[in-house]
Amino acid sequence: MLTISLRPALRGLRTPRLARAFNVLAVESSADDTCASIVSSSRKILSNVVVKQHDIHEKDGGINPYTAIAAHQRNMPGAVRRALDEAGMDISQVDGIAFTRGPGIGGCLSVGSNAAKTLAAALNKPLVGVHHMQAHALTPFLTTPESELPQFPFLTLLVSGGHTLLLLATSVTRFRILATTNDESIGRSIDKVSRMLGLAWSGIGPGAALERFCASEYDLPLPNLDPLPRPMPGQLAFSFSGIHSAVERLVTARGDRSMDLPTKLALARGFQSAAIDHVQDKVLLALKWCTQHNVEVRHLVMSGGVASNMLLRQRLEDCLQKVNPSDPISLVYPPPALCTDNAAMIAWASMHRFLAEDHDDYSIDLRAKWSIEDLSTD
Protein backbone atom coordinates (compact mmCIF):
# COMPACT_ATOMS: atom_id res chain seq x y z
CA MET A 1 0.00 0.00 0.00
CA LEU A 2 1.22 3.50 -0.82
CA THR A 3 0.59 6.40 1.52
CA ILE A 4 -0.77 9.45 -0.34
CA SER A 5 0.17 12.47 1.73
CA LEU A 6 -1.81 15.68 1.43
CA ARG A 7 0.01 18.80 0.33
CA PRO A 8 0.77 21.56 2.84
CA ALA A 9 -2.53 23.23 1.98
CA LEU A 10 -4.41 20.42 3.71
CA ARG A 11 -1.88 19.38 6.34
CA GLY A 12 -3.27 18.60 9.76
CA LEU A 13 -6.24 16.62 8.44
CA ARG A 14 -6.36 12.85 8.71
CA THR A 15 -4.87 11.18 5.64
CA PRO A 16 -6.00 7.64 4.82
CA ARG A 17 -3.77 5.06 3.20
CA LEU A 18 -4.74 4.74 -0.45
CA ALA A 19 -3.59 2.40 -3.20
CA ARG A 20 -3.86 5.27 -5.71
CA ALA A 21 -4.87 8.90 -5.93
CA PHE A 22 -8.45 9.78 -4.97
CA ASN A 23 -10.38 11.10 -7.98
CA VAL A 24 -13.26 13.56 -7.57
CA LEU A 25 -15.82 14.38 -10.24
CA ALA A 26 -17.31 17.81 -9.51
CA VAL A 27 -20.02 19.93 -11.09
CA GLU A 28 -20.62 23.67 -10.77
CA SER A 29 -23.71 25.61 -11.91
CA SER A 30 -24.11 28.48 -9.43
CA ALA A 31 -24.53 31.22 -12.07
CA ASP A 32 -24.17 31.12 -15.86
CA ASP A 33 -21.36 28.62 -16.47
CA THR A 34 -22.04 24.88 -16.68
CA CYS A 35 -18.92 23.15 -15.41
CA ALA A 36 -17.64 19.63 -14.81
CA SER A 37 -14.15 18.53 -13.82
CA ILE A 38 -12.14 15.61 -12.51
CA VAL A 39 -9.31 16.36 -10.06
CA SER A 40 -7.05 13.93 -8.21
CA SER A 41 -5.67 14.12 -4.68
CA SER A 42 -2.21 14.41 -6.26
CA ARG A 43 -3.11 17.97 -7.35
CA LYS A 44 -3.72 17.04 -10.97
CA ILE A 45 -6.57 18.53 -13.00
CA LEU A 46 -7.49 15.59 -15.22
CA SER A 47 -10.23 17.50 -17.05
CA ASN A 48 -11.95 20.87 -16.74
CA VAL A 49 -15.01 21.58 -18.88
CA VAL A 50 -16.66 25.01 -18.85
CA VAL A 51 -19.69 25.72 -21.04
CA LYS A 52 -20.34 29.46 -21.01
CA GLN A 53 -23.63 31.25 -21.68
CA HIS A 54 -22.37 34.74 -22.64
CA ASP A 55 -24.01 34.75 -26.05
CA ILE A 56 -27.50 33.84 -24.83
CA HIS A 57 -27.46 36.44 -22.03
CA GLU A 58 -26.08 39.40 -24.01
CA LYS A 59 -29.52 40.36 -25.34
CA ASP A 60 -30.81 40.57 -21.74
CA GLY A 61 -27.87 42.69 -20.60
CA GLY A 62 -27.02 40.19 -17.85
CA ILE A 63 -27.90 36.78 -16.44
CA ASN A 64 -31.54 35.81 -16.91
CA PRO A 65 -32.10 33.08 -14.26
CA TYR A 66 -34.74 31.20 -16.26
CA THR A 67 -32.58 31.20 -19.37
CA ALA A 68 -29.54 30.14 -17.32
CA ILE A 69 -31.42 27.24 -15.69
CA ALA A 70 -32.62 25.95 -19.06
CA ALA A 71 -29.08 26.17 -20.48
CA HIS A 72 -27.65 24.30 -17.47
CA GLN A 73 -30.21 21.54 -17.99
CA ARG A 74 -29.19 21.24 -21.64
CA ASN A 75 -25.45 21.44 -21.01
CA MET A 76 -24.84 19.47 -17.79
CA PRO A 77 -25.08 15.91 -19.20
CA GLY A 78 -22.69 16.76 -22.03
CA ALA A 79 -20.28 18.54 -19.67
CA VAL A 80 -20.05 15.50 -17.41
CA ARG A 81 -19.54 13.19 -20.40
CA ARG A 82 -16.79 15.47 -21.76
CA ALA A 83 -15.06 15.61 -18.37
CA LEU A 84 -14.85 11.82 -18.27
CA ASP A 85 -13.71 11.58 -21.90
CA GLU A 86 -11.03 14.27 -21.54
CA ALA A 87 -9.73 12.58 -18.38
CA GLY A 88 -9.68 9.25 -20.23
CA MET A 89 -11.64 7.72 -17.37
CA ASP A 90 -14.59 5.48 -16.83
CA ILE A 91 -17.13 6.51 -14.19
CA SER A 92 -16.03 3.50 -12.13
CA GLN A 93 -12.65 5.22 -11.62
CA VAL A 94 -14.32 8.19 -9.91
CA ASP A 95 -14.13 7.91 -6.12
CA GLY A 96 -16.36 10.81 -5.05
CA ILE A 97 -18.88 13.32 -6.42
CA ALA A 98 -18.82 17.00 -5.43
CA PHE A 99 -21.06 19.92 -6.31
CA THR A 100 -21.59 23.58 -5.49
CA ARG A 101 -24.06 23.72 -2.62
CA GLY A 102 -24.10 27.53 -2.49
CA PRO A 103 -24.15 30.45 -2.52
CA GLY A 104 -25.61 31.26 -5.93
CA ILE A 105 -28.81 31.44 -7.95
CA GLY A 106 -31.13 28.86 -6.42
CA GLY A 107 -32.52 27.39 -9.63
CA CYS A 108 -29.07 27.21 -11.19
CA LEU A 109 -27.61 25.52 -8.12
CA SER A 110 -30.36 22.91 -8.25
CA VAL A 111 -29.25 21.66 -11.67
CA GLY A 112 -25.75 20.80 -10.44
CA SER A 113 -27.08 19.51 -7.12
CA ASN A 114 -29.57 17.15 -8.74
CA ALA A 115 -26.96 15.88 -11.21
CA ALA A 116 -24.41 15.21 -8.45
CA LYS A 117 -26.89 13.56 -6.08
CA THR A 118 -28.27 11.33 -8.81
CA LEU A 119 -24.80 10.23 -9.93
CA ALA A 120 -23.62 9.61 -6.38
CA ALA A 121 -26.73 7.66 -5.37
CA ALA A 122 -26.84 5.56 -8.55
CA LEU A 123 -23.14 4.71 -8.34
CA ASN A 124 -23.01 4.40 -4.55
CA LYS A 125 -20.31 7.09 -4.35
CA PRO A 126 -19.73 9.51 -1.44
CA LEU A 127 -21.06 13.05 -1.92
CA VAL A 128 -19.77 16.45 -0.74
CA GLY A 129 -21.45 19.86 -1.15
CA VAL A 130 -19.00 22.76 -1.42
CA HIS A 131 -19.13 26.46 -0.54
CA HIS A 132 -18.50 28.37 -3.76
CA MET A 133 -16.36 31.12 -2.23
CA GLN A 134 -14.33 28.66 -0.16
CA ALA A 135 -13.52 26.93 -3.44
CA HIS A 136 -12.30 30.20 -4.97
CA ALA A 137 -10.15 30.87 -1.89
CA LEU A 138 -8.51 27.42 -2.00
CA THR A 139 -7.89 27.31 -5.78
CA PRO A 140 -4.29 28.60 -5.49
CA PHE A 141 -3.46 25.53 -3.37
CA LEU A 142 -4.23 23.46 -6.45
CA THR A 143 -2.45 25.65 -9.01
CA THR A 144 0.56 27.13 -7.18
CA PRO A 145 3.98 25.39 -7.12
CA GLU A 146 4.58 23.67 -3.79
CA SER A 147 7.44 25.98 -2.86
CA GLU A 148 5.14 29.01 -3.18
CA LEU A 149 1.98 27.71 -1.50
CA PRO A 150 0.21 30.20 0.82
CA GLN A 151 0.64 29.71 4.54
CA PHE A 152 -2.12 30.15 7.09
CA PRO A 153 -3.08 32.68 8.23
CA PHE A 154 -3.40 34.68 5.03
CA LEU A 155 -5.62 37.37 3.57
CA THR A 156 -7.86 36.38 0.70
CA LEU A 157 -9.53 38.77 -1.73
CA LEU A 158 -12.53 37.26 -3.51
CA VAL A 159 -13.70 39.48 -6.37
CA SER A 160 -16.44 38.27 -8.70
CA GLY A 161 -19.80 39.11 -10.19
CA GLY A 162 -21.61 38.01 -7.05
CA HIS A 163 -19.17 38.85 -4.26
CA THR A 164 -16.48 41.23 -3.09
CA LEU A 165 -14.89 39.96 0.12
CA LEU A 166 -11.70 40.48 2.09
CA LEU A 167 -11.20 37.54 4.42
CA LEU A 168 -8.72 36.35 7.00
CA ALA A 169 -8.22 32.63 6.43
CA THR A 170 -6.85 30.60 9.34
CA SER A 171 -7.62 27.11 7.98
CA VAL A 172 -9.40 25.48 5.04
CA THR A 173 -12.72 25.97 6.85
CA ARG A 174 -12.18 29.08 8.99
CA PHE A 175 -12.65 32.46 7.38
CA ARG A 176 -13.29 35.80 9.06
CA ILE A 177 -14.94 38.51 6.95
CA LEU A 178 -12.96 41.73 7.27
CA ALA A 179 -14.75 43.63 4.52
CA THR A 180 -17.65 43.05 2.18
CA THR A 181 -19.67 45.24 -0.16
CA ASN A 182 -22.54 47.34 1.15
CA ASP A 183 -24.24 47.48 -2.25
CA GLU A 184 -23.06 45.74 -5.43
CA SER A 185 -20.02 43.61 -6.15
CA ILE A 186 -17.08 44.86 -8.17
CA GLY A 187 -17.92 42.34 -10.91
CA ARG A 188 -21.50 43.53 -11.21
CA SER A 189 -20.34 47.14 -11.31
CA ILE A 190 -17.86 46.34 -14.07
CA ASP A 191 -20.55 44.51 -16.05
CA LYS A 192 -22.94 47.47 -15.76
CA VAL A 193 -20.37 49.97 -17.00
CA SER A 194 -19.39 47.66 -19.86
CA ARG A 195 -23.01 47.48 -21.01
CA MET A 196 -23.48 51.21 -20.42
CA LEU A 197 -20.61 51.95 -22.80
CA GLY A 198 -22.09 49.64 -25.42
CA LEU A 199 -19.16 47.21 -25.54
CA ALA A 200 -19.69 43.95 -27.43
CA TRP A 201 -19.07 40.98 -25.14
CA SER A 202 -20.29 37.87 -26.96
CA GLY A 203 -17.91 35.01 -26.29
CA ILE A 204 -15.87 36.73 -23.57
CA GLY A 205 -18.31 38.42 -21.18
CA PRO A 206 -18.75 42.09 -20.21
CA GLY A 207 -15.88 42.22 -17.71
CA ALA A 208 -13.31 40.90 -20.15
CA ALA A 209 -14.73 43.23 -22.83
CA LEU A 210 -14.13 46.26 -20.59
CA GLU A 211 -10.59 45.18 -19.74
CA ARG A 212 -9.78 44.59 -23.41
CA PHE A 213 -11.25 47.96 -24.40
CA CYS A 214 -9.23 49.78 -21.71
CA ALA A 215 -6.04 48.12 -22.96
CA SER A 216 -6.65 49.09 -26.60
CA GLU A 217 -4.11 51.39 -28.23
CA TYR A 218 -5.31 54.83 -29.25
CA ASP A 219 -3.11 57.49 -30.84
CA LEU A 220 -5.27 60.58 -30.28
CA PRO A 221 -5.33 62.40 -26.91
CA LEU A 222 -8.14 61.51 -24.51
CA PRO A 223 -10.28 64.15 -22.79
CA ASN A 224 -9.63 65.01 -19.16
CA LEU A 225 -12.56 63.92 -17.01
CA ASP A 226 -13.36 64.72 -13.42
CA PRO A 227 -11.90 62.13 -11.05
CA LEU A 228 -14.33 59.44 -9.93
CA PRO A 229 -15.09 59.01 -6.21
CA ARG A 230 -13.14 56.78 -3.79
CA PRO A 231 -15.99 55.65 -1.50
CA MET A 232 -15.88 55.10 2.25
CA PRO A 233 -12.33 56.35 2.91
CA GLY A 234 -10.76 54.86 6.01
CA GLN A 235 -13.51 52.25 6.39
CA LEU A 236 -12.95 48.53 5.99
CA ALA A 237 -15.89 48.05 3.61
CA PHE A 238 -16.49 48.12 -0.13
CA SER A 239 -18.96 50.20 -2.12
CA PHE A 240 -18.98 50.25 -5.92
CA SER A 241 -22.40 51.66 -6.73
CA GLY A 242 -21.19 55.25 -6.31
CA ILE A 243 -18.35 54.76 -8.80
CA HIS A 244 -20.56 53.18 -11.41
CA SER A 245 -23.30 55.79 -10.82
CA ALA A 246 -20.78 58.58 -11.42
CA VAL A 247 -19.93 57.01 -14.79
CA GLU A 248 -23.63 56.69 -15.57
CA ARG A 249 -24.16 60.40 -14.91
CA LEU A 250 -21.27 61.29 -17.21
CA VAL A 251 -22.60 59.02 -19.95
CA THR A 252 -26.09 60.48 -19.61
CA ALA A 253 -24.77 64.04 -19.71
CA ARG A 254 -22.88 63.39 -22.94
CA GLY A 255 -25.47 61.17 -24.60
CA ASP A 256 -24.43 57.54 -24.92
CA ARG A 257 -25.36 57.30 -28.60
CA SER A 258 -23.34 60.34 -29.71
CA MET A 259 -20.37 59.87 -27.36
CA ASP A 260 -17.14 59.70 -29.34
CA LEU A 261 -14.53 56.98 -28.95
CA PRO A 262 -11.94 59.10 -27.01
CA THR A 263 -14.55 60.02 -24.38
CA LYS A 264 -15.79 56.45 -24.12
CA LEU A 265 -12.23 55.16 -23.67
CA ALA A 266 -11.43 57.82 -21.08
CA LEU A 267 -14.56 56.84 -19.13
CA ALA A 268 -13.72 53.14 -19.30
CA ARG A 269 -10.15 53.66 -18.14
CA GLY A 270 -11.20 56.10 -15.43
CA PHE A 271 -13.75 53.66 -14.07
CA GLN A 272 -11.40 50.67 -14.13
CA SER A 273 -8.70 52.66 -12.34
CA ALA A 274 -11.13 53.97 -9.71
CA ALA A 275 -12.48 50.48 -8.99
CA ILE A 276 -8.95 49.10 -8.60
CA ASP A 277 -7.96 52.07 -6.39
CA HIS A 278 -10.91 51.22 -4.16
CA VAL A 279 -9.83 47.58 -3.84
CA GLN A 280 -6.25 48.63 -3.15
CA ASP A 281 -7.36 51.03 -0.39
CA LYS A 282 -9.25 48.25 1.39
CA VAL A 283 -6.39 45.76 1.10
CA LEU A 284 -4.13 48.28 2.81
CA LEU A 285 -6.72 48.75 5.58
CA ALA A 286 -6.97 44.98 6.02
CA LEU A 287 -3.19 44.71 6.37
CA LYS A 288 -3.32 47.48 8.97
CA TRP A 289 -6.07 45.57 10.82
CA CYS A 290 -3.88 42.46 10.88
CA THR A 291 -0.97 44.42 12.33
CA GLN A 292 -3.19 45.95 15.02
CA HIS A 293 -4.46 42.49 15.99
CA ASN A 294 -1.00 40.86 15.97
CA VAL A 295 -1.83 38.64 13.00
CA GLU A 296 1.17 38.08 10.76
CA VAL A 297 0.20 37.36 7.16
CA ARG A 298 2.70 36.53 4.45
CA HIS A 299 0.30 36.03 1.54
CA LEU A 300 -2.62 37.72 -0.15
CA VAL A 301 -4.64 35.15 -2.09
CA MET A 302 -6.84 36.60 -4.84
CA SER A 303 -9.46 34.68 -6.79
CA GLY A 304 -12.85 35.07 -8.48
CA GLY A 305 -13.61 36.21 -12.01
CA VAL A 306 -12.28 39.77 -11.57
CA ALA A 307 -8.96 38.34 -10.32
CA SER A 308 -8.14 37.61 -13.98
CA ASN A 309 -7.88 41.36 -14.62
CA MET A 310 -4.20 41.95 -15.38
CA LEU A 311 -4.19 45.60 -14.32
CA LEU A 312 -5.64 44.66 -10.92
CA ARG A 313 -2.93 42.03 -10.46
CA GLN A 314 -0.15 44.45 -11.37
CA ARG A 315 -1.46 47.25 -9.17
CA LEU A 316 -1.82 44.96 -6.14
CA GLU A 317 1.66 43.53 -6.66
CA ASP A 318 3.07 47.07 -6.79
CA CYS A 319 1.07 48.00 -3.69
CA LEU A 320 2.35 45.04 -1.65
CA GLN A 321 5.90 45.79 -2.77
CA LYS A 322 5.64 49.35 -1.45
CA VAL A 323 4.18 48.26 1.91
CA ASN A 324 7.36 46.35 2.76
CA PRO A 325 10.01 46.59 0.02
CA SER A 326 12.53 44.42 1.85
CA ASP A 327 10.12 41.53 2.48
CA PRO A 328 6.90 42.07 0.53
CA ILE A 329 3.75 40.07 1.09
CA SER A 330 3.27 37.61 -1.76
CA LEU A 331 0.27 37.96 -4.05
CA VAL A 332 -0.97 34.51 -5.07
CA TYR A 333 -3.65 33.86 -7.68
CA PRO A 334 -4.75 31.09 -10.05
CA PRO A 335 -4.29 31.18 -13.83
CA PRO A 336 -6.96 33.37 -15.48
CA ALA A 337 -8.93 30.35 -16.71
CA LEU A 338 -9.35 29.16 -13.12
CA CYS A 339 -10.29 32.56 -11.70
CA THR A 340 -13.74 32.42 -13.25
CA ASP A 341 -16.24 29.78 -12.16
CA ASN A 342 -15.08 26.22 -12.78
CA ALA A 343 -15.59 22.76 -11.32
CA ALA A 344 -11.89 22.03 -10.71
CA MET A 345 -11.98 24.40 -7.74
CA ILE A 346 -15.10 22.63 -6.43
CA ALA A 347 -13.39 19.25 -6.67
CA TRP A 348 -10.28 20.50 -4.87
CA ALA A 349 -12.24 22.23 -2.10
CA SER A 350 -14.03 18.94 -1.41
CA MET A 351 -10.83 16.86 -1.33
CA HIS A 352 -9.96 17.30 2.36
CA ARG A 353 -13.44 16.11 3.33
CA PHE A 354 -13.35 13.06 1.07
CA LEU A 355 -9.94 12.05 2.42
CA ALA A 356 -11.21 12.48 5.98
CA GLU A 357 -14.28 10.38 5.06
CA ASP A 358 -16.53 13.34 5.93
CA HIS A 359 -19.42 13.04 3.49
CA ASP A 360 -22.87 14.58 3.02
CA ASP A 361 -26.16 12.74 2.89
CA TYR A 362 -27.78 12.42 -0.55
CA SER A 363 -30.66 14.56 0.76
CA ILE A 364 -28.47 17.56 1.63
CA ASP A 365 -30.20 20.84 0.83
CA LEU A 366 -28.97 23.85 -1.13
CA ARG A 367 -27.88 27.11 0.49
CA ALA A 368 -28.39 29.91 -2.02
CA LYS A 369 -27.43 32.37 0.75
CA TRP A 370 -24.53 31.05 2.80
CA SER A 371 -21.95 33.08 4.70
CA ILE A 372 -18.44 31.71 4.42
CA GLU A 373 -18.03 32.31 8.16
CA ASP A 374 -20.61 29.56 8.78
CA LEU A 375 -18.23 26.90 7.46
CA SER A 376 -16.46 26.65 10.80
CA THR A 377 -19.70 25.71 12.58
CA ASP A 378 -21.48 23.67 9.88
Side-chain angles (χ1 to χ4, degrees), residues 306-322:
V306 182
S308 62
N309 184 290
M310 294 303 178
L311 182 60
L312 174 61
R313 292 184 178 196
Q314 185 59 56
R315 292 273 291 275
L316 283 178
E317 286 180 347
D318 293 344
C319 172
L320 295 175
Q321 179 70 36
K322 291 176 182 176

Side-chain angles (χ1 to χ4, degrees), residues 101-179:
R101 186 184 177 195
I105 301 170
C108 293
L109 287 167
S110 68
V111 178
S113 170
N114 291 338
K117 290 177 182 178
T118 301
L119 280 170
L123 300 168
N124 195 28
K125 303 287 186 181
L127 178 75
V128 168
V130 173
H131 192 291
H132 184 84
M133 302 314 292
Q134 177 199 28
H136 274 305
L138 298 181
T139 303
F141 288 117
L142 174 63
T143 61
T144 305
E146 286 192 53
S147 60
E148 301 172 14
L149 286 173
Q151 300 173 6
F152 293 106
F154 59 80
L155 284 178
T156 181
L157 174 66
L158 303 180
V159 280
S160 68
H163 302 271
T164 305
L165 292 167
L166 255 174
L167 310 170
L168 176 66
T170 54
S171 78
V172 293
T173 58
R174 291 187 177 273
F175 298 87
R176 175 170 180 165
I177 298 175
L178 301 183

Side-chain angles (χ1 to χ4, degrees), residues 1-128:
M1 299 287 281
L2 174 65
T3 299
I4 304 296
S5 63
L6 288 175
R7 304 305 187 189
L10 304 179
R11 235 174 233 162
L13 298 174
R14 185 166 65 88
T15 307
R17 296 177 65 83
L18 301 173
R20 59 173 175 81
F22 192 97
N23 298 317
V24 174
L25 167 63
V27 295
E28 145 66 22
S29 62
S30 61
D32 61 338
D33 292 337
T34 310
C35 312
S37 176
I38 299 176
V39 173
S40 78
S41 57
S42 56
R43 295 178 80 223
K44 292 182 179 178
I45 300 175
L46 303 177
S47 61
N48 189 37
V49 176
V50 179
V51 183
K52 294 189 175 292
Q53 301 179 10
H54 293 318
D55 294 352
I56 65 175
H57 292 296
E58 186 172 15
K59 65 180 183 299
D60 295 317
I63 300 175
N64 181 316
Y66 296 104
T67 303
I69 293 167
H72 284 311
Q73 291 171 334
R74 288 194 305 272
N75 296 331
M76 185 61 74
V80 171
R81 183 67 261 167
R82 280 179 56 195
L84 288 165
D85 290 345
E86 291 179 12
M89 294 176 61
D90 183 83
I91 191 65
S92 64
Q93 296 172 283
V94 171
D95 301 297
I97 309 292
F99 70 99
T100 305
R101 186 184 177 195
I105 301 170
C108 293
L109 287 167
S110 68
V111 178
S113 170
N114 291 338
K117 290 177 182 178
T118 301
L119 280 170
L123 300 168
N124 195 28
K125 303 287 186 181
L127 178 75
V128 168

Side-chain angles (χ1 to χ4, degrees), residues 13-14 26-27 63 113 174 182 205 214 218-219 236 243 267 377:
L13 298 174
R14 185 166 65 88
V27 295
I63 300 175
S113 170
R174 291 187 177 273
N182 290 334
C214 289
Y218 193 73
D219 293 334
L236 199 43
I243 304 174
L267 280 170
T377 56

Side-chain angles (χ1 to χ4, degrees), residues 188-241:
R188 181 167 296 180
S189 180
I190 289 172
D191 291 352
K192 286 181 178 180
V193 170
S194 182
R195 293 192 295 267
M196 197 184 303
L197 295 177
L199 304 182
W201 47 273
S202 290
I204 59 173
L210 182 76
E211 180 184 6
R212 182 179 295 182
F213 181 59
C214 289
S216 61
E217 296 182 3
Y218 193 73
D219 293 334
L220 298 177
L222 302 182
N224 293 320
L225 302 175
D226 293 336
L228 296 175
R230 295 179 78 152
M232 308 180 74
Q235 299 180 54
L236 199 43
F238 294 101
S239 176
F240 293 94
S241 63

